[in-house]
Amino acid sequence: MIMDEKHLLLLIDKYFDGLTDLNEERQLREVLKDKTLDNPAVNELRAVLSYVEMASEPDDSKRKATLTSSADLWRKLTVAASVIMILGVAFTLLTDRNQYSECNTMIACRHYDSPEKALSLINSQLFAIGAAADDVADDIADDFRIIGESIEDEFTTF
Amino acid sequence: MKDRITLTLLFIISALVCFATEPPASLKYLDGYFSNNPDASVTVVMGKTLKSYDLDEYRGLTLVHSPESAILLETAVKKDAAGAIDKELAYRQGNLYYAFLTLPTVEDGKYRYIFFLNQTLAKGNKLILIYMKGKASADKIKKMIKK
């Protein structure tokens, strides 16, 4: 929009008086884009408007940066949650193998897969372990008895 | 930078999980090591068969007339005993005769137990090594062996 200098100066005065409307301010911005205009009032307005724009710009960029970082965070959280979920599913599938029964027994290099054979061997192993555990318990009891008798003898001597 | 921290944390957590579930040294001898030994009886049971015992896994090895293998098993059991949270060890003639170990829990609080018996130090001729994993408590396991 082309504007004569007199009207421009009046509009600038009106701007500094705070009486311009949005339409007039838009007109002023358009006019100020013309770099050939060289007038102290115009230069002053140009400085003020560029300062106002500069001051408002960081807010926008900050907001954009905040939005971007929060979007990034959500993206990372989503990826992390997906990884954890995949690991969880894999772990469950791997451990669920135990739901299936498996009995493998090797006796003198011969393979048996019957649960009866496995349970028979388990019973024999546990029986031997149980007998040994009893022996160990008896040994401990014997030790206590011997210690007890020694202490008794000691006191009897006194 | 945040990506690197996240990756590093993931790596550390994975490493911790791997170390936490490191298998016991004795397991080596219950996983096919003696499969071709005619003096060995090996049994591996998993799943439904063990449900009544509250166990998920049972691995047992019986070696007859093999006193030379005792040192292998004894060394592994002693290594596991070092990391056990509860242990009963009995020695005869300077060698490990009987061991009952409770290892640190893994996988949703499941217990792991190791039994070892060297009958050649008494009147028998058997070496027995057992590994069990499941929800059964140590008391339940002891009752089981005394049936």
Side-chain angles (χ1 to χ4, degrees), chain B residues 11-96:
Chain B
F11 177 76
I12 291 168
I13 291 165
S14 313
L16 283 173
V17 168
C18 288
F19 278 116
T21 54
E22 192 184 348
S26 305
L27 213 49
K28 177 184 169 185
Y29 301 110
L30 296 164
D31 203 14
Y33 189 90
F34 289 104
S35 292
N36 297 320
N37 186 331
D39 295 326
S41 298
V42 185
T43 184
V44 177
V45 184
M46 290 179 186
K48 283 188 285 186
T49 313
L50 296 169
K51 211 165 186 178
S52 58
Y53 298 101
D54 260 350
L55 291 172
D56 291 340
E57 188 177 343
Y58 179 101
R59 289 172 187 269
L61 164 74
T62 304
L63 281 167
V64 287
H65 308 298
S66 304
E68 70 283 353
S69 299
I71 190 70
L72 284 178
L73 305 184
E74 187 178 325
T75 307
V77 172
K78 278 180 181 171
K79 194 176 173 189
D80 291 333
I85 52 171
D86 196 14
K87 52 191 147 187
E88 288 174 23
L89 302 170
Y91 289 82
R92 285 191 180 174
Q93 299 154 38
N95 292 302
L96 188 61

